[in-house]
Amino acid sequence: RSPISIIRWYIELLSDKSVGTLNDKQKEYLSEIDKASERLNEVIDSSFILLQIESGKLSLKTQTTNIKNLIDQVIAKQQFSIERHKLYLQKIYPKDKVLIVQADPKILCIILQNLVANAIKYTPENGNISIKVDTDSKNLLLEIQDDGYGIPKEKKSKILANSVSSKDMGFSLYFVKRIVGKMRGKISFESQENKGTTFYISLPLGS
């Protein structure tokens, strides 16, 4: 068994009361451990996907995807961090569109997960984060905005560079850039120090 599967096994053991009944606070902690283990598993998946991208072996698996449901899943996994940092998260959807598209839901979920986690990390308590989704005739359009610390001018040119640096960008944004490129999409950002950052992603429908 892998380390992550052992963690998952013990979580299940505690959840089904095999070792006794948990009180409400313990159940809450166990739920967060469960979500954290899922996120860890996603980091491992992301690393594997990045290796596939670099070797040219990644194949996308498109299917009918409800974007609103997918975003709800992303938010649910980050709910503990959102509440802990006392952040307000808003979802913005067009009123006249269903937002059901052909896409690879796993890859799309990982992209959103990384960008939302990044926004949480760099937004102070009582801050705001928004996820805006729209479509045009050819593309799925995503905006992840925060009113956090922003990016210093001297670091902006390094944020979407072609190499990874924990000091300037980190793995999550490097991964997002690489996977968006694989999907024939575009990524850009606007940021003002002490005002916040917005990442824009455009992905061809069906990618």
Side-chain angles (χ1 to χ4, degrees), residues 1-10 12:
R1 287 186 177 184
S2 67
I4 191 66
S5 66
I6 293 172
I7 293 171
R8 300 291 301 170
W9 184 80
Y10 277 109
E12 292 175 10

Side-chain angles (χ1 to χ4, degrees), residues 117-132:
N118 194 70
I120 292 171
K121 182 178 180 180
Y122 293 105
T123 301
E125 282 192 0
N126 302 309
N128 298 279
I129 297 172
S130 66
I131 303 173
K132 183 178 180 180

Side-chain angles (χ1 to χ4, degrees), residues 4 34-53 77-78 106-107 109-111 113-115 117-118 121 170-176:
I4 191 66
D34 186 31
K35 291 175 185 177
S37 70
E38 287 183 6
R39 291 196 295 271
L40 176 59
N41 201 44
E42 287 168 359
V43 170
I44 295 169
D45 284 346
S46 297
S47 300
F48 180 67
I49 290 168
L50 185 58
L51 287 173
Q52 289 181 306
I53 294 172
K77 292 176 181 178
Q78 296 285 355
K106 180 178 179 180
I107 297 297
C109 186
I110 292 175
I111 288 173
Q113 189 77 31
N114 277 281
L115 289 175
N118 194 70
K121 182 178 180 180
F171 173 79
S172 62
L173 292 180
Y174 176 73
F175 171 77
V176 169

Side-chain angles (χ1 to χ4, degrees), residues 49-60:
I49 290 168
L50 185 58
L51 287 173
Q52 289 181 306
I53 294 172
E54 302 292 356
S55 63
K57 296 180 179 179
L58 178 68
S59 59
L60 300 174

Side-chain angles (χ1 to χ4, degrees), residues 23-88:
N23 62 41
D24 290 342
K25 202 65 178 178
Q26 290 169 331
K27 288 178 182 177
E28 179 184 342
Y29 292 156
L30 183 61
S31 176
E32 296 312 319
I33 293 170
D34 186 31
K35 291 175 185 177
S37 70
E38 287 183 6
R39 291 196 295 271
L40 176 59
N41 201 44
E42 287 168 359
V43 170
I44 295 169
D45 284 346
S46 297
S47 300
F48 180 67
I49 290 168
L50 185 58
L51 287 173
Q52 289 181 306
I53 294 172
E54 302 292 356
S55 63
K57 296 180 179 179
L58 178 68
S59 59
L60 300 174
K61 299 177 182 178
T62 60
Q63 63 186 65
T64 302
T65 303
N66 186 311
I67 300 300
K68 291 183 180 180
N69 289 348
L70 188 143
I71 287 175
D72 284 343
Q73 294 171 24
V74 169
I75 293 172
K77 292 176 181 178
Q78 296 285 355
Q79 194 62 43
F80 179 73
S81 294
I82 292 168
E83 293 176 358
R84 184 177 62 184
H85 290 86
K86 300 177 182 178
L87 302 175
Y88 174 71

